[in-house]
Amino acid sequence: MKTNLKTLLPPTTAPGSVSAQPPSFPAYTRSRWLLPLQPGLFRVGLLLLLLSGAVFVGFDAWGNRESGATFSFFLFHYGLAITYSVMLLGKGLHKFWQGQAITGRSARWVALLLWLISAFALNRNFAVFQQSTGWLVVALVITGTAMVGYGWHDALTINAQRVLYAVLGAGVWLLGYAAVYVSPLYPWSIPGVIALGISVHTFVPTVLVVALGKRLWIDYRTTEHLRPGIITGLVAPVIAVGIFVVTWSNRVGQIEQAQAAHVTTKTTDLPAWVLVGQTLPADWITARLLQVGNTFDEGPFSGRSSFGNFGSQMALDDVKQHDPLVVIANALFPATSLPETDKVKLLNVLFNERHGTEEKMWSGRNVVTQSVISQARIWPQYRLAYTEKTIRVRNTAQHTTREALYTFYLPNGATVSALSLWINGREAPARLTTVGKADTAYRTIVGVESRDPAVAFWQEGGRVTVRVFPCIAGQDRQFKIGITQPLTVANGKLTFENIAFDGPGAGLAQETVQLDFAQPPTGFSSPWLFDKLAGNRLTHTGGYDPDWQLHFDAPTLATGPFVLANKAYHITDYQPTTEVFSPETVYLDLNATWKADEFDTVVQSAKPRPVWVWDDGLVQLTEQNQGEIFARLHQRQFTVFPIYRIQHPETALLVSKGPITGPVLADLKADVFAENMTRAAKQTGQLHTFSLDNQLSPMLRSLAELRVLAVMPGTVADLMQTVFGQKTFIAPTESATSIAIPQAGIVIRETVVAGKRMPEKAATGQTTVEKTSTGGLVPDHLARLFVYNSLMQQVGRRYFDKSYRDDETLQKQAQQAHILSPVSTLIVLETQADYDRFGIKRDLSGLDNATLKSDGAVPEPHEWAMMFLLAGVASWLFWKKRRHARA
């Protein structure tokens, strides 16, 4: 350090001095912070580096990796690096191994950084490295900043110098890793340097390591106070990598142990991947272990890397990431014993990656959400709402056709009642058909013919997937989905939830929201993003925000019915009643969400009844084993309780508390669990289930929605007082003509109306709403909600028995209400010939696509004008015809 200062300070300045006497320096060199900028070549290098970095970041943010512009932008960065290197060559500052001035070293390091940016720009065309993970990008930026900041190292305090050298020391490891990673390319790059010159980028990490390593070695030997920083920088990454690798190896060991344990289990109810997932912590290391080979690159030494597989499309959103920690750990301890299908299931269960792991016939890369228009009509007096989301999606690629995949998350009891796709500028509404026909049509057209379909599929757990194809390069597609949803009531307040979705990136999307209330809301509160409520309308325009709710008072329920096919649907208050229920046996669904005091209290309160748990078979708890069993089962991240193993379910009680993540029924459809559930489908009656703190696992939530379970939520105190004390349980309130929606506080009842005709279809094909005796409007969504929940009740235990999909009675009910369900799907095809080819017919006997245009809204002024104009024209034509007739 002191030696370097001597080369910059005048002879009259004492060695090691930081400040200079005013008479000894020109005015522009008086500041020690401006001193490194004296050489003009270094200033030029900084400007070029800032320009190159800004253009690189700008292209990543707004550019298109699939266009021919990637190579043009590479040539820009390449030109900057060559130009500055030639400038250094002309000044004789290019020989980094000679004892040059400090200004020469700083300029050379800037040149190396320009070459590094150029190398990453070239990587867009020839993917030696896959897309860098977040922490790697930050580490590279910090290392580059430290290399630039080295020019000011003499102006820093001792502690700041140590931090600087610690960063440079860590940077040596990072760049050294890159040099080793690209080493398989060295034999081809050496002749390439002579032939083309571009392959010189292969050696940039090696040159950087030599430059930094030499500097650190010299300064370590000559400057004692820098040694702590250098040692820290060199040792800390080794420790961090070691911790990661050891943890990784432990996870691999856990997987192998769980697989071995599965072989020795007494029962075969659960597959091996379930036992693996129950013991794996759901953290970022486990996520990387499960995604290696799909989301994360395995590296050039694994034998299955995408190294050199330029331009390939990958699973899990089609883009692989490069994480040095994953590459190193996987090279040492590969998780090869876990099949890819099991990895996908574990990702779904532990990290809710169901959208990312959905099957894709075409890539979704380069597809983005451009805009979202959310419109809704809310009926507080009926405790329901209808929401339409019109989404415009764009394929930013230049040459490649893509597929857009969306997953919508619906509130409990909600269903999709409309789907549209814009074809040649016109809105084409969907038709309702069976799941099998829709799947066959979509796969045939998308996989072979590449024409216009859109399809919506019901998914377990309140999910709906929508696929839109084709998304043509450089063009927009637009589709609309309509959701019929119940409102949520609590403490006299209603809540309207926005419909969230996963899909092509919506971070820069613009959103327009328009919400209309059928009657003026009272006690209204809304998020800050909305404009002030104007009459019955609430609006918002701005960036897309998926997470918001509205709250308002719950008014008195309306009594008017909606009539469909000689059946009237009307609502009444949900008044839960109780029935006498004294369980003879108690079953506990134990997992990591249970607390020790909850477990002890429930076990003690259940006495003298026998208490059972599932631990590789049903095991009865005793004073001797309950502590050991709880300690073991409490380590499980989730549970899959085989309810078909419960003896005498009519007198049994299942007490459950589960995490928000876990397997759903569809995850187990190909396993012994599904076979046993199918055999148990003939059982009648619902299993009494007490949900502690209203926490049910995803699988039990699905079973509750299918009416296999009768669920009563509450606390441990409620369980002790109501079930074990008063020996009562919530009585079932549903039947073939009565559907309860507890979260909305309503019961929808179906009654036969003799002699009442089906409401007539309007010109648009939509069903008109019914009017009450007072002139109020009754939404057809009453019928849609009733039929959807009734279908779920009828499917019930038959969920694993796919024969229910061919049940014509269920299909007819879904068709009449025009709703998405386990037995029905919405699909849009391009032509009538396509519908005819796949046997998808339009049913005119029931409801059609739901729409906001037929909900009784008052016409806007321009609509009134059009109506008067049409009426005038019609009157004139009628008068003219009468006049000619008289003549």
Side-chain angles (χ1 to χ4, degrees):
M1 293 295 183
K2 296 178 181 179
T3 302
N4 293 339
L5 280 175
K6 289 179 181 180
T7 64
L8 294 175
L9 297 176
T12 55
T13 305
S17 175
V18 176
S19 60
Q21 296 298 325
S24 303
F25 280 90
Y28 65 89
T29 60
R30 290 179 180 177
S31 171
R32 59 180 181 174
W33 296 104
L34 297 178
L35 201 60
L37 295 176
Q38 283 189 47
L41 200 56
F42 181 57
R43 292 200 301 271
V44 171
L46 288 180
L47 291 176
L48 294 179
L49 184 63
L50 290 174
L51 175 62
S52 183
V55 171
F56 186 91
V57 172
F59 184 87
D60 272 350
W62 297 287
N64 190 335
R65 288 176 177 262
E66 292 209 349
S67 68
T70 53
F71 194 73
S72 299
F73 273 82
F74 157 69
L75 292 178
F76 171 79
H77 296 290
Y78 188 32
L80 292 181
I82 290 178
T83 300
Y84 192 62
S85 298
V86 170
M87 294 173 66
L88 291 181
L89 184 65
K91 293 291 185 178
L93 300 177
H94 62 289
K95 300 177 181 179
F96 66 87
W97 58 84
Q98 293 185 358
Q100 304 267 344
I102 293 179
T103 52
R105 182 182 302 126
S106 298
R108 288 194 300 275
W109 284 13
V110 169
L112 290 175
L113 292 175
L114 284 170
W115 280 101
L116 186 63
I117 294 176
S118 180
F120 276 104
L122 179 62
N123 192 69
R124 293 173 177 148
N125 295 89
F126 305 100
V128 176
F129 291 95
Q130 297 299 320
Q131 181 174 302
S132 298
T133 194
W135 76 262
L136 179 57
V137 173
V138 173
L140 288 170
V141 171
I142 292 176
T143 299
T145 303
M147 291 182 66
V148 173
Y150 177 82
W152 285 267
H153 71 286
D154 283 324
L156 302 175
T157 63
I158 290 178
N159 288 333
Q161 288 178 354
R162 289 172 175 169
V163 172
L164 176 68
Y165 272 77
V167 174
L168 294 176
V172 167
W173 285 115
L174 188 64
L175 296 168
Y177 163 83
V180 173
Y181 188 94
V182 300
S183 60
L185 294 178
Y186 289 168
W188 291 272
S189 296
I190 293 174
V193 171
I194 302 174
L196 299 175
I198 293 179
S199 60
V200 71
H201 292 86
T202 307
F203 304 99
V204 170
T206 302
V207 177
L208 279 163
V209 170
V210 172
L212 284 179
K214 177 185 176 183
R215 189 73 261 146
L216 293 175
W217 173 249
I218 293 174
D219 289 346
Y220 180 86
R221 291 189 306 166
T222 59
T223 312
E224 184 176 354
H225 74 269
L226 295 178
R227 292 175 184 173
I230 295 173
I231 293 173
T232 300
L234 294 175
V235 173
V238 176
I239 295 175
V241 172
I243 293 174
F244 184 90
V245 170
V246 170
T247 306
W248 179 286
S249 66
N250 289 338
R251 300 289 162 80
V252 173
Q254 284 180 267
I255 292 173
E256 294 174 349
Q257 290 175 9
Q259 290 176 319
H262 181 261
V263 177
T264 61
T265 55
K266 295 180 296 183
T267 64
T268 58
D269 292 66
L270 302 178
W273 68 266
V274 171
L275 302 185
V276 171
Q278 288 177 332
T279 58
L280 283 179
D283 57 24
W284 71 289
I285 296 180
T286 298
R288 279 160 167 72
L289 190 152
L290 296 176
Q291 295 179 71
V292 65
N294 287 319
T295 300
F296 289 95
D297 188 18
E298 294 176 285
F301 308 109
S302 66
R304 294 199 310 128
S305 169
S306 60
F307 187 77
N309 188 12
F310 307 136
S312 62
Q313 298 299 333
M314 309 301 172
L316 283 172
D317 210 15
D318 311 311
V319 181
K320 278 194 176 182
Q321 295 184 37
H322 177 229
D323 189 329
L325 294 173
V326 173
V327 172
I328 294 171
N330 187 67
L332 297 174
F333 302 99
T336 55
S337 62
L338 198 60
E340 291 299 320
T341 54
D342 288 355
K343 287 183 180 181
V344 170
K345 290 180 179 179
L346 288 172
L347 284 171
N348 293 341
V349 167
L350 296 177
F351 302 98
N352 196 25
E353 280 285 352
R354 299 187 186 279
H355 174 78
T357 57
E358 282 284 346
E359 179 188 7
K360 295 180 181 178
M361 299 187 66
W362 290 67
S363 169
R365 192 174 183 180
N366 304 111
V367 180
V368 297
T369 301
Q370 289 283 89
S371 65
V372 180
I373 300 176
S374 300
Q375 298 173 274
R377 176 159 286 270
I378 303 171
W379 290 270
Q381 71 275 33
Y382 288 98
R383 307 279 174 86
L384 60 84
Y386 171 66
T387 301
E388 285 184 351
K389 285 192 176 290
T390 304
I391 297 177
R392 185 162 55 90
V393 60
R394 183 172 183 81
N395 180 4
T396 61
Q398 295 296 312
H399 309 291
T400 310
T401 299
R402 302 299 195 192
E403 177 187 26
L405 172 66
Y406 284 83
T407 299
F408 293 86
Y409 299 96
L410 275 54
N412 290 337
T415 183
V416 170
S417 51
L419 179 71
S420 295
L421 177 67
W422 271 253
I423 300 176
N424 297 325
R426 298 185 63 181
E427 180 181 359
R431 292 188 182 182
L432 197 81
T433 186
T434 63
V435 176
K437 287 183 179 180
D439 187 62
T440 299
Y442 189 82
R443 288 179 179 275
T444 300
I445 294 177
V446 171
V448 179
E449 302 170 12
S450 300
R451 293 188 292 114
D452 285 326
V455 64
F457 288 106
W458 178 91
Q459 303 284 0
E460 187 184 340
R463 295 183 301 120
V464 170
T465 55
V466 175
R467 299 175 182 272
V468 176
F469 184 87
C471 296
I472 300 173
Q475 297 185 21
D476 293 353
R477 293 306 306 265
Q478 184 168 287
F479 73 95
K480 179 176 70 178
I481 184 172
I483 297 102
T484 298
Q485 63 187 102
L487 304 178
T488 303
V489 64
N491 301 320
K493 286 283 188 178
L494 292 176
T495 299
F496 171 79
E497 299 181 41
N498 183 36
I499 305 297
F501 64 82
D502 281 330
L508 300 177
Q510 291 296 304
E511 183 179 27
T512 299
V513 181
Q514 179 176 299
L515 310 176
D516 292 301
F517 289 85
Q519 67 180 43
T522 59
F524 182 80
S525 64
S526 65
W528 61 270
L529 55 89
F530 281 97
D531 299 332
K532 187 176 180 180
L533 182 67
N536 290 0
R537 175 166 292 180
L538 190 67
T539 59
H540 160 70
T541 300
Y544 172 67
D545 186 347
D547 188 18
W548 52 264
Q549 296 179 339
L550 304 179
H551 305 280
F552 41 92
D553 292 336
T556 303
L557 291 181
T559 58
F562 177 81
V563 179
L564 174 65
N566 298 330
K567 294 180 179 179
Y569 300 90
H570 56 93
I571 60 173
T572 59
D573 276 312
Y574 172 70
Q575 299 291 345
T577 59
T578 59
E579 63 178 359
V580 175
F581 174 69
S582 180
E584 296 179 3
T585 53
V586 178
Y587 297 83
L588 305 185
D589 185 19
L590 293 178
N591 50 61
T593 61
W594 282 70
K595 299 177 182 178
D597 59 337
E598 291 175 332
F599 170 76
D600 293 336
T601 303
V602 171
V603 172
Q604 292 299 320
S605 302
K607 290 181 177 180
R609 305 171 184 86
V611 180
W612 299 79
V613 297
W614 179 261
D615 186 19
D616 189 20
L618 288 174
V619 179
Q620 184 175 352
L621 296 180
T622 65
E623 293 288 346
Q624 293 72 31
N625 67 10
Q626 67 182 44
E628 174 193 350
I629 289 178
F630 177 79
R632 181 168 58 255
L633 299 186
H634 189 257
Q635 297 177 3
R636 296 179 178 177
Q637 301 295 318
F638 59 85
T639 48
V640 179
F641 199 99
I643 61 172
Y644 50 80
R645 292 278 188 174
I646 294 178
Q647 301 294 322
H648 307 292
E650 66 279 359
T651 59
L653 173 69
L654 175 64
V655 183
S656 178
K657 183 179 181 182
I660 60 175
T661 60
V664 295
L665 296 174
D667 295 329
L668 301 163
K669 61 184 178 182
D671 299 309
V672 175
F673 183 91
E675 297 175 4
N676 291 333
M677 282 292 292
T678 302
R679 283 196 292 268
K682 297 180 180 180
Q683 297 179 4
T684 59
Q686 297 177 329
L687 174 64
H688 294 79
T689 305
F690 194 92
S691 173
L692 289 178
D693 299 332
N694 201 19
Q695 291 181 234
L696 280 178
S697 67
M699 190 192 75
L700 293 186
R701 284 202 301 269
S702 296
L703 291 174
E705 188 176 21
L706 293 166
R707 274 61 173 184
V708 175
L709 307 180
V711 179
M712 178 178 178
T715 64
V716 173
D718 295 329
L719 174 64
M720 295 170 56
Q721 178 180 354
T722 306
V723 181
F724 295 145
Q726 300 173 0
K727 296 181 175 56
T728 58
F729 202 86
I730 292 180
T733 57
E734 294 185 320
S735 64
T737 59
S738 178
I739 293 296
I741 307 180
Q743 68 270 22
I746 60 173
V747 175
I748 305 179
R749 302 187 186 278
E750 178 190 74
T751 57
V752 177
V753 182
K756 180 71 176 179
R757 292 198 317 152
M758 166 78 187
E760 294 181 358
K761 297 261 184 164
T764 59
Q766 304 300 331
T767 303
T768 59
V769 295
E770 290 290 296
K771 290 190 176 182
T772 64
S773 58
T774 59
L777 297 172
V778 184
D780 58 17
H781 302 285
L782 283 178
R784 299 183 196 270
L785 284 180
F786 177 91
V787 173
Y788 172 75
N789 286 277
S790 176
L791 283 174
M792 298 301 293
Q793 183 184 48
Q794 295 176 69
V795 170
R797 295 177 184 271
R798 300 170 59 193
Y799 180 75
F800 284 115
D801 180 7
K802 298 306 179 184
S803 62
Y804 71 83
R805 291 185 174 180
D806 300 322
D807 190 323
E808 294 183 0
T809 301
L810 299 182
Q811 293 172 5
K812 184 178 180 180
Q813 293 178 34
Q815 189 73 252
Q816 196 165 68
H818 198 83
I819 55 166
L820 197 69
S821 72
V823 302
S824 56
T825 295
L826 289 166
I827 189 169
V828 182
L829 299 180
E830 186 173 351
T831 65
Q832 180 61 45
D834 290 327
Y835 288 114
D836 295 339
R837 179 156 57 113
F838 295 104
I840 300 175
K841 299 179 181 180
R842 182 177 178 182
D843 189 343
L844 299 177
S845 64
L847 297 175
D848 210 326
N849 274 281
T851 176
L852 290 170
K853 296 180 181 179
S854 65
D855 60 3
V858 177
E860 297 292 340
H862 67 277
E863 294 174 331
W864 281 116
M866 182 62 68
M867 291 167 61
F868 284 129
L869 177 62
L870 292 175
V873 171
S875 299
W876 180 79
L877 291 174
F878 178 75
W879 173 81
K880 185 176 180 180
K881 182 178 180 180
R882 292 276 307 269
R883 182 180 179 183
H884 282 292
R886 290 175 181 176

